[in-house]
Amino acid sequence: MTDSAPPLAGVVGWPIAHSRSPVLHNHWLRRYGIDGYYIPIGLHQQNFEDGIRALPKLGFRGVNVTIPYKETILALADTVSDRASLIGAANTVTFREGGAIHADNTDGAGFLESVRAGAPDWSAKSGPVLVLGAGGAARAVVSALLNAGAPEVRIANRTRQKAEMLAEHFGGRMVQVDWERAADAADGARLIVNTTALGLTGKPPLNLSLDAAPDGASVVDIVYNPLETAFLARARARGLNAIDGLGMLLHQAAPGFESWFGVKPEIDDALRRAVLPA
Ligand code: ATR
Protein backbone atom coordinates (compact mmCIF):
# COMPACT_ATOMS: atom_id res chain seq x y z
CA MET A 1 0.00 0.00 0.00
CA THR A 2 1.32 3.42 -0.84
CA ASP A 3 0.75 6.39 1.44
CA SER A 4 -1.66 7.88 -1.07
CA ALA A 5 -3.92 4.82 -1.35
CA PRO A 6 -7.31 5.42 0.23
CA PRO A 7 -7.83 3.51 3.48
CA LEU A 8 -10.14 0.52 3.14
CA ALA A 9 -12.23 -1.55 5.50
CA GLY A 10 -15.18 -3.85 4.99
CA VAL A 11 -17.38 -6.63 6.23
CA VAL A 12 -16.67 -10.28 5.48
CA GLY A 13 -19.39 -12.92 5.54
CA TRP A 14 -21.61 -15.13 3.41
CA PRO A 15 -24.20 -14.14 2.39
CA ILE A 16 -23.35 -10.46 2.73
CA ALA A 17 -25.93 -8.53 0.70
CA HIS A 18 -28.20 -7.94 3.73
CA SER A 19 -25.52 -6.24 5.84
CA ARG A 20 -26.23 -2.65 6.93
CA SER A 21 -22.59 -2.12 7.90
CA PRO A 22 -21.50 -0.59 4.55
CA VAL A 23 -24.22 2.08 4.77
CA LEU A 24 -23.24 2.83 8.34
CA HIS A 25 -19.46 3.09 7.86
CA ASN A 26 -19.69 4.92 4.54
CA HIS A 27 -21.99 7.46 6.20
CA TRP A 28 -19.28 8.09 8.81
CA LEU A 29 -16.54 8.24 6.15
CA ARG A 30 -18.43 10.95 4.31
CA ARG A 31 -19.34 12.79 7.49
CA TYR A 32 -15.71 13.03 8.58
CA GLY A 33 -14.40 13.77 5.07
CA ILE A 34 -12.25 10.65 5.01
CA ASP A 35 -11.27 9.54 1.52
CA GLY A 36 -11.78 5.85 2.23
CA TYR A 37 -14.17 3.01 1.45
CA TYR A 38 -16.00 0.33 3.40
CA ILE A 39 -16.83 -2.64 1.20
CA PRO A 40 -19.02 -5.76 1.55
CA ILE A 41 -16.89 -8.84 0.88
CA GLY A 42 -18.65 -12.14 0.28
CA LEU A 43 -16.31 -15.07 0.84
CA HIS A 44 -17.23 -18.72 0.45
CA GLN A 45 -15.92 -21.07 3.13
CA GLN A 46 -13.18 -22.45 0.87
CA ASN A 47 -11.83 -18.93 0.16
CA PHE A 48 -12.16 -17.53 3.64
CA GLU A 49 -8.58 -17.92 4.90
CA ASP A 50 -6.89 -16.87 1.63
CA GLY A 51 -9.35 -14.01 1.27
CA ILE A 52 -8.74 -12.63 4.76
CA ARG A 53 -4.96 -12.90 4.42
CA ALA A 54 -5.04 -11.05 1.10
CA LEU A 55 -6.92 -8.04 2.50
CA PRO A 56 -4.06 -6.21 4.28
CA LYS A 57 -1.97 -6.50 1.09
CA LEU A 58 -4.79 -4.76 -0.77
CA GLY A 59 -4.83 -1.82 1.62
CA PHE A 60 -7.46 -2.93 4.12
CA ARG A 61 -6.91 -1.64 7.66
CA GLY A 62 -9.38 -4.15 9.04
CA VAL A 63 -12.78 -5.75 8.64
CA ASN A 64 -15.93 -6.67 10.47
CA VAL A 65 -16.62 -10.37 10.44
CA THR A 66 -20.16 -11.67 10.36
CA ILE A 67 -22.13 -14.87 9.88
CA PRO A 68 -20.86 -17.59 9.45
CA TYR A 69 -17.27 -16.61 10.35
CA LYS A 70 -17.45 -15.04 13.82
CA GLU A 71 -16.02 -18.17 15.44
CA THR A 72 -13.82 -19.33 12.55
CA ILE A 73 -11.82 -16.09 12.57
CA LEU A 74 -10.40 -16.84 16.02
CA ALA A 75 -8.41 -19.80 14.62
CA LEU A 76 -6.72 -17.49 12.08
CA ALA A 77 -6.02 -14.63 14.47
CA ASP A 78 -2.51 -13.87 15.69
CA THR A 79 -3.89 -12.09 18.74
CA VAL A 80 -7.35 -12.21 20.33
CA SER A 81 -8.72 -9.70 22.86
CA ASP A 82 -9.75 -11.06 26.26
CA ARG A 83 -13.42 -10.32 25.62
CA ALA A 84 -13.43 -12.06 22.23
CA SER A 85 -11.75 -15.03 23.78
CA LEU A 86 -14.29 -15.19 26.62
CA ILE A 87 -17.20 -14.90 24.17
CA GLY A 88 -15.61 -17.39 21.77
CA ALA A 89 -16.27 -15.21 18.74
CA ALA A 90 -15.04 -12.00 17.11
CA ASN A 91 -16.74 -9.37 14.98
CA THR A 92 -13.94 -6.84 14.50
CA VAL A 93 -10.51 -7.47 12.97
CA THR A 94 -7.67 -4.99 12.77
CA PHE A 95 -4.64 -5.78 10.60
CA ARG A 96 -1.38 -4.97 12.32
CA GLU A 97 2.27 -4.89 11.21
CA GLY A 98 2.95 -7.46 8.48
CA GLY A 99 -0.75 -8.27 8.10
CA ALA A 100 -1.05 -9.80 11.59
CA ILE A 101 -4.68 -10.40 12.48
CA HIS A 102 -6.00 -8.95 15.74
CA ALA A 103 -9.52 -10.16 16.59
CA ASP A 104 -11.86 -8.37 18.98
CA ASN A 105 -15.54 -8.61 19.88
CA THR A 106 -17.44 -5.35 20.30
CA ASP A 107 -20.96 -6.83 20.35
CA GLY A 108 -21.25 -6.97 24.15
CA ALA A 109 -19.84 -3.49 24.69
CA GLY A 110 -22.10 -2.18 21.89
CA PHE A 111 -25.07 -3.76 23.62
CA LEU A 112 -24.22 -2.08 26.94
CA GLU A 113 -23.68 1.30 25.29
CA SER A 114 -27.06 1.07 23.60
CA VAL A 115 -28.79 0.21 26.88
CA ARG A 116 -27.04 3.10 28.64
CA ALA A 117 -28.17 5.43 25.86
CA GLY A 118 -31.76 4.15 26.01
CA ALA A 119 -32.01 3.88 29.81
CA PRO A 120 -29.72 6.51 31.35
CA ASP A 121 -30.71 5.53 34.91
CA TRP A 122 -29.94 1.86 34.43
CA SER A 123 -26.79 0.28 35.74
CA ALA A 124 -25.79 -3.36 35.35
CA LYS A 125 -25.39 -3.48 39.11
CA SER A 126 -28.98 -2.39 39.72
CA GLY A 127 -30.57 -5.83 39.68
CA PRO A 128 -31.21 -9.16 37.95
CA VAL A 129 -31.33 -9.36 34.15
CA LEU A 130 -33.38 -11.83 32.12
CA VAL A 131 -31.80 -12.91 28.81
CA LEU A 132 -33.86 -14.85 26.26
CA GLY A 133 -31.81 -17.02 23.91
CA ALA A 134 -28.46 -18.77 24.18
CA GLY A 135 -26.82 -18.30 20.76
CA GLY A 136 -23.84 -16.19 19.76
CA ALA A 137 -25.55 -12.88 20.46
CA ALA A 138 -26.57 -14.07 23.94
CA ARG A 139 -22.96 -15.02 24.72
CA ALA A 140 -21.79 -11.48 23.94
CA VAL A 141 -24.66 -9.89 25.90
CA VAL A 142 -24.23 -12.11 28.96
CA SER A 143 -20.48 -11.65 29.02
CA ALA A 144 -20.81 -7.85 28.93
CA LEU A 145 -23.51 -7.82 31.63
CA LEU A 146 -21.46 -9.95 34.00
CA ASN A 147 -18.35 -7.92 33.32
CA ALA A 148 -20.29 -4.74 34.11
CA GLY A 149 -21.32 -6.18 37.49
CA ALA A 150 -24.81 -7.65 36.99
CA PRO A 151 -25.63 -9.46 40.25
CA GLU A 152 -27.67 -12.17 38.51
CA VAL A 153 -28.30 -13.13 34.89
CA ARG A 154 -31.26 -15.42 34.28
CA ILE A 155 -31.13 -17.25 30.98
CA ALA A 156 -33.96 -19.02 29.18
CA ASN A 157 -33.65 -20.80 25.85
CA ARG A 158 -35.92 -23.05 23.78
CA THR A 159 -33.15 -25.66 23.72
CA ARG A 160 -32.48 -25.92 27.42
CA GLN A 161 -29.12 -27.62 27.09
CA LYS A 162 -27.65 -24.55 25.33
CA ALA A 163 -28.74 -22.29 28.20
CA GLU A 164 -27.21 -24.74 30.68
CA MET A 165 -23.93 -24.77 28.76
CA LEU A 166 -23.84 -20.99 28.66
CA ALA A 167 -24.62 -20.74 32.37
CA GLU A 168 -21.86 -23.21 33.13
CA HIS A 169 -19.39 -21.34 30.93
CA PHE A 170 -20.00 -18.01 32.65
CA GLY A 171 -20.39 -19.39 36.18
CA GLY A 172 -21.84 -18.35 39.52
CA ARG A 173 -24.12 -15.40 38.80
CA MET A 174 -25.96 -17.27 36.01
CA VAL A 175 -29.33 -18.92 36.62
CA GLN A 176 -30.85 -21.22 33.99
CA VAL A 177 -34.62 -20.85 33.63
CA ASP A 178 -36.86 -23.17 31.60
CA TRP A 179 -38.20 -21.57 28.42
CA GLU A 180 -41.78 -22.31 29.52
CA ARG A 181 -41.14 -20.39 32.78
CA ALA A 182 -39.40 -17.41 31.23
CA ALA A 183 -42.36 -15.06 31.82
CA ASP A 184 -42.20 -15.78 35.57
CA ALA A 185 -38.48 -15.00 35.54
CA ALA A 186 -39.29 -11.42 34.50
CA ASP A 187 -40.31 -10.91 38.15
CA GLY A 188 -37.75 -8.59 39.72
CA ALA A 189 -35.71 -8.19 36.51
CA ARG A 190 -34.46 -4.63 35.87
CA LEU A 191 -33.60 -5.51 32.28
CA ILE A 192 -35.14 -8.05 29.90
CA VAL A 193 -33.33 -8.83 26.65
CA ASN A 194 -34.44 -10.74 23.58
CA THR A 195 -31.43 -12.21 21.77
CA THR A 196 -33.42 -14.89 19.93
CA ALA A 197 -34.35 -14.75 16.28
CA LEU A 198 -38.03 -14.44 17.23
CA GLY A 199 -39.49 -11.20 15.89
CA LEU A 200 -37.13 -11.03 12.90
CA THR A 201 -38.92 -10.50 9.60
CA GLY A 202 -40.15 -13.91 8.48
CA LYS A 203 -40.00 -15.45 11.98
CA PRO A 204 -42.82 -15.75 14.48
CA PRO A 205 -43.04 -13.00 17.12
CA LEU A 206 -41.69 -13.44 20.63
CA ASN A 207 -44.79 -14.05 22.64
CA LEU A 208 -43.67 -13.56 26.21
CA SER A 209 -45.87 -12.02 28.87
CA LEU A 210 -44.28 -9.06 30.61
CA ASP A 211 -46.92 -8.90 33.34
CA ALA A 212 -44.47 -10.02 36.01
CA ALA A 213 -41.84 -7.39 35.08
CA PRO A 214 -41.43 -4.67 37.69
CA ASP A 215 -42.42 -1.08 36.92
CA GLY A 216 -39.43 0.87 35.65
CA ALA A 217 -37.81 -2.15 33.99
CA SER A 218 -36.27 -1.78 30.53
CA VAL A 219 -36.86 -4.21 27.66
CA VAL A 220 -34.34 -4.59 24.84
CA ASP A 221 -34.91 -6.38 21.56
CA ILE A 222 -31.67 -6.82 19.67
CA VAL A 223 -33.65 -7.51 16.49
CA TYR A 224 -33.53 -4.42 14.24
CA ASN A 225 -35.32 -5.82 11.22
CA PRO A 226 -38.03 -4.69 11.87
CA LEU A 227 -37.19 -2.00 14.39
CA GLU A 228 -40.57 -2.10 16.12
CA THR A 229 -41.15 -5.74 17.12
CA ALA A 230 -44.31 -7.09 18.72
CA PHE A 231 -42.24 -7.71 21.84
CA LEU A 232 -41.23 -4.04 22.13
CA ALA A 233 -44.81 -2.97 21.43
CA ARG A 234 -45.91 -5.18 24.32
CA ALA A 235 -43.26 -3.63 26.57
CA ARG A 236 -44.48 -0.14 25.72
CA ALA A 237 -48.12 -1.13 26.26
CA ARG A 238 -47.10 -2.40 29.71
CA GLY A 239 -45.47 1.00 30.42
CA LEU A 240 -41.91 -0.33 30.31
CA ASN A 241 -38.92 1.37 28.70
CA ALA A 242 -38.41 -0.17 25.23
CA ILE A 243 -34.99 -0.16 23.50
CA ASP A 244 -34.67 -1.32 19.89
CA GLY A 245 -31.81 -3.23 18.27
CA LEU A 246 -30.45 -0.47 16.07
CA GLY A 247 -28.46 1.07 18.93
CA MET A 248 -26.46 -2.12 19.41
CA LEU A 249 -25.72 -2.31 15.68
CA LEU A 250 -24.44 1.29 15.68
CA HIS A 251 -22.48 1.05 18.92
CA GLN A 252 -20.74 -2.24 18.04
CA ALA A 253 -19.51 -0.60 14.83
CA ALA A 254 -17.86 2.45 16.39
CA PRO A 255 -14.67 0.85 17.83
CA GLY A 256 -13.77 -0.73 14.47
CA PHE A 257 -14.23 2.58 12.65
CA GLU A 258 -12.02 4.34 15.19
CA SER A 259 -9.31 1.71 14.99
CA TRP A 260 -9.21 1.72 11.14
CA PHE A 261 -9.82 5.38 10.33
CA GLY A 262 -8.63 7.18 13.47
CA VAL A 263 -11.84 9.06 14.30
CA LYS A 264 -14.22 8.25 17.15
CA PRO A 265 -17.55 8.42 15.33
CA GLU A 266 -20.72 10.05 16.59
CA ILE A 267 -23.93 8.04 17.05
CA ASP A 268 -26.98 10.24 16.57
CA ASP A 269 -30.39 10.38 14.91
CA ALA A 270 -28.96 11.34 11.52
CA LEU A 271 -27.02 8.10 11.56
CA ARG A 272 -30.06 6.10 12.63
CA ARG A 273 -32.04 7.55 9.73
CA ALA A 274 -29.23 6.87 7.26
CA VAL A 275 -28.88 3.25 8.31
CA LEU A 276 -32.57 2.40 8.49
CA PRO A 277 -34.60 4.82 6.39
CA ALA A 278 -38.25 4.83 7.43
P1 ATR B 1 -27.25 -15.51 17.11
O1 ATR B 1 -25.79 -15.69 16.83
O2 ATR B 1 -27.85 -14.35 16.40
O3 ATR B 1 -27.54 -15.50 18.57
P2 ATR B 1 -28.03 -18.28 16.88
O4 ATR B 1 -26.74 -18.68 17.50
O5 ATR B 1 -28.54 -19.06 15.72
O6 ATR B 1 -27.99 -16.76 16.42
O7 ATR B 1 -29.16 -18.25 18.04
C1 ATR B 1 -30.49 -18.04 17.74
C2 ATR B 1 -31.30 -18.03 19.04
O8 ATR B 1 -32.68 -17.86 18.69
C3 ATR B 1 -31.21 -19.34 19.82
O9 ATR B 1 -31.29 -19.05 21.20
C4 ATR B 1 -32.44 -20.07 19.34
O10 ATR B 1 -32.93 -21.05 20.21
P3 ATR B 1 -32.40 -22.60 20.12
O11 ATR B 1 -31.07 -22.60 20.79
O12 ATR B 1 -33.42 -23.40 20.81
O13 ATR B 1 -32.29 -22.90 18.64
C5 ATR B 1 -33.43 -18.94 19.24
N1 ATR B 1 -34.57 -19.26 18.40
C6 ATR B 1 -34.61 -19.30 17.03
N2 ATR B 1 -35.84 -19.63 16.61
C7 ATR B 1 -36.61 -19.82 17.72
C8 ATR B 1 -37.98 -20.18 17.95
N3 ATR B 1 -38.81 -20.42 16.92
N4 ATR B 1 -38.42 -20.26 19.24
C9 ATR B 1 -37.58 -20.03 20.27
N5 ATR B 1 -36.27 -19.67 20.12
C10 ATR B 1 -35.80 -19.58 18.86
Side-chain angles (χ1 to χ4, degrees), residues 133-138 157-159 162 179 195-198 203:
N157 191 53
R158 175 181 61 178
T159 308
K162 276 167 68 179
W179 183 246
T195 75
T196 74
L198 290 172
K203 296 266 184 186

CSV table of all heavy atoms in Angstrom, one decimal, residues 133-138 157-159 162 179 195-198 203, ligand 1:
chain,number,residue,atom,x,y,z
A,133,GLY,N,-32.7,-16.5,25.0
A,133,GLY,CA,-31.8,-17.0,23.9
A,133,GLY,C,-30.4,-17.4,24.4
A,133,GLY,O,-30.0,-16.9,25.5
A,134,ALA,N,-29.8,-18.3,23.7
A,134,ALA,CA,-28.5,-18.8,24.2
A,134,ALA,C,-27.5,-19.0,23.0
A,134,ALA,O,-26.7,-19.9,23.0
A,134,ALA,CB,-28.6,-20.0,25.0
A,135,GLY,N,-27.7,-18.2,21.9
A,135,GLY,CA,-26.8,-18.3,20.8
A,135,GLY,C,-25.6,-17.4,20.9
A,135,GLY,O,-25.3,-16.9,22.0
A,136,GLY,N,-25.0,-17.0,19.8
A,136,GLY,CA,-23.8,-16.2,19.8
A,136,GLY,C,-24.1,-14.8,20.3
A,136,GLY,O,-23.3,-14.3,21.1
A,137,ALA,N,-25.2,-14.2,20.0
A,137,ALA,CA,-25.6,-12.9,20.5
A,137,ALA,C,-25.7,-12.9,22.0
A,137,ALA,O,-25.3,-12.0,22.7
A,137,ALA,CB,-26.8,-12.4,19.8
A,138,ALA,N,-26.4,-14.0,22.5
A,138,ALA,CA,-26.6,-14.1,23.9
A,138,ALA,C,-25.2,-14.2,24.7
A,138,ALA,O,-25.0,-13.6,25.7
A,138,ALA,CB,-27.4,-15.3,24.3
A,157,ASN,N,-33.8,-20.5,27.3
A,157,ASN,CA,-33.6,-20.8,25.9
A,157,ASN,C,-34.5,-22.0,25.5
A,157,ASN,O,-34.7,-22.9,26.3
A,157,ASN,CB,-32.2,-21.1,25.5
A,157,ASN,CG,-31.9,-21.2,24.0
A,157,ASN,OD1,-32.3,-20.2,23.3
A,157,ASN,ND2,-31.3,-22.3,23.6
A,158,ARG,N,-35.1,-21.9,24.3
A,158,ARG,CA,-35.9,-23.0,23.8
A,158,ARG,C,-35.2,-24.4,24.0
A,158,ARG,O,-35.7,-25.3,24.5
A,158,ARG,CB,-36.3,-22.8,22.3
A,158,ARG,CG,-37.0,-24.0,21.7
A,158,ARG,CD,-37.3,-23.7,20.2
A,158,ARG,NE,-36.1,-23.5,19.4
A,158,ARG,CZ,-36.0,-23.3,18.1
A,158,ARG,NH1,-37.2,-23.2,17.5
A,158,ARG,NH2,-34.9,-23.2,17.5
A,159,THR,N,-34.0,-24.4,23.5
A,159,THR,CA,-33.2,-25.7,23.7
A,159,THR,C,-32.4,-25.5,25.0
A,159,THR,O,-31.4,-24.8,25.1
A,159,THR,CB,-32.2,-25.9,22.6
A,159,THR,OG1,-32.9,-25.8,21.3
A,159,THR,CG2,-31.4,-27.2,22.7
A,162,LYS,N,-28.5,-25.7,25.7
A,162,LYS,CA,-27.7,-24.6,25.3
A,162,LYS,C,-27.6,-23.5,26.4
A,162,LYS,O,-26.6,-22.9,26.7
A,162,LYS,CB,-28.1,-24.0,24.0
A,162,LYS,CG,-27.6,-24.8,22.8
A,162,LYS,CD,-28.2,-24.4,21.5
A,162,LYS,CE,-27.9,-23.0,21.0
A,162,LYS,NZ,-28.6,-22.8,19.7
A,179,TRP,N,-37.6,-22.4,29.4
A,179,TRP,CA,-38.2,-21.6,28.4
A,179,TRP,C,-39.7,-21.3,28.8
A,179,TRP,O,-40.2,-20.2,28.6
A,179,TRP,CB,-38.0,-22.2,27.0
A,179,TRP,CG,-38.5,-21.4,25.9
A,179,TRP,CD1,-39.6,-21.8,25.1
A,179,TRP,CD2,-38.1,-20.2,25.4
A,179,TRP,NE1,-39.8,-20.8,24.1
A,179,TRP,CE2,-38.9,-19.8,24.3
A,179,TRP,CE3,-37.0,-19.3,25.8
A,179,TRP,CZ2,-38.7,-18.6,23.6
A,179,TRP,CZ3,-36.8,-18.1,25.1
A,179,TRP,CH2,-37.6,-17.8,24.0
A,195,THR,N,-32.5,-12.0,22.7
A,195,THR,CA,-31.4,-12.2,21.8
A,195,THR,C,-31.8,-13.3,20.8
A,195,THR,O,-31.0,-13.7,20.0
A,195,THR,CB,-30.1,-12.6,22.5
A,195,THR,OG1,-30.2,-14.0,23.0
A,195,THR,CG2,-29.8,-11.7,23.7
A,196,THR,N,-33.0,-13.8,20.9
A,196,THR,CA,-33.4,-14.9,19.9
A,196,THR,C,-33.8,-14.3,18.6
A,196,THR,O,-33.9,-13.1,18.4
A,196,THR,CB,-34.7,-15.7,20.4
A,196,THR,OG1,-35.8,-14.9,20.2
A,196,THR,CG2,-34.5,-16.1,21.9
A,197,ALA,N,-34.0,-15.2,17.6
A,197,ALA,CA,-34.4,-14.7,16.3
A,197,ALA,C,-35.8,-14.4,16.2
A,197,ALA,O,-36.3,-14.0,15.1
A,197,ALA,CB,-34.0,-15.8,15.3
A,198,LEU,N,-36.6,-14.7,17.3
A,198,LEU,CA,-38.0,-14.4,17.2
A,198,LEU,C,-38.3,-12.9,17.1
A,198,LEU,O,-37.8,-12.1,17.8
A,198,LEU,CB,-38.7,-15.0,18.5
A,198,LEU,CG,-38.7,-16.5,18.6
A,198,LEU,CD1,-39.2,-17.0,20.0
A,198,LEU,CD2,-39.5,-17.1,17.5
A,203,LYS,N,-39.9,-14.5,10.8
A,203,LYS,CA,-40.0,-15.5,12.0
A,203,LYS,C,-41.2,-15.1,12.8
A,203,LYS,O,-41.8,-14.0,12.7
A,203,LYS,CB,-38.8,-15.3,12.9
A,203,LYS,CG,-37.5,-15.6,12.2
A,203,LYS,CD,-37.1,-17.0,12.5
A,203,LYS,CE,-35.7,-17.4,11.9
A,203,LYS,NZ,-35.4,-18.8,12.1
B,1,ATR,P1,-27.2,-15.5,17.1
B,1,ATR,O1,-25.8,-15.7,16.8
B,1,ATR,O2,-27.9,-14.3,16.4
B,1,ATR,O3,-27.5,-15.5,18.6
B,1,ATR,P2,-28.0,-18.3,16.9
B,1,ATR,O4,-26.7,-18.7,17.5
B,1,ATR,O5,-28.5,-19.1,15.7
B,1,ATR,O6,-28.0,-16.8,16.4
B,1,ATR,O7,-29.2,-18.2,18.0
B,1,ATR,C1,-30.5,-18.0,17.7
B,1,ATR,C2,-31.3,-18.0,19.0
B,1,ATR,O8,-32.7,-17.9,18.7
B,1,ATR,C3,-31.2,-19.3,19.8
B,1,ATR,O9,-31.3,-19.0,21.2
B,1,ATR,C4,-32.4,-20.1,19.3
B,1,ATR,O10,-32.9,-21.1,20.2
B,1,ATR,P3,-32.4,-22.6,20.1
B,1,ATR,O11,-31.1,-22.6,20.8
B,1,ATR,O12,-33.4,-23.4,20.8
B,1,ATR,O13,-32.3,-22.9,18.6
B,1,ATR,C5,-33.4,-18.9,19.2
B,1,ATR,N1,-34.6,-19.3,18.4
B,1,ATR,C6,-34.6,-19.3,17.0
B,1,ATR,N2,-35.8,-19.6,16.6
B,1,ATR,C7,-36.6,-19.8,17.7
B,1,ATR,C8,-38.0,-20.2,17.9
B,1,ATR,N3,-38.8,-20.4,16.9
B,1,ATR,N4,-38.4,-20.3,19.2
B,1,ATR,C9,-37.6,-20.0,20.3
B,1,ATR,N5,-36.3,-19.7,20.1
B,1,ATR,C10,-35.8,-19.6,18.9
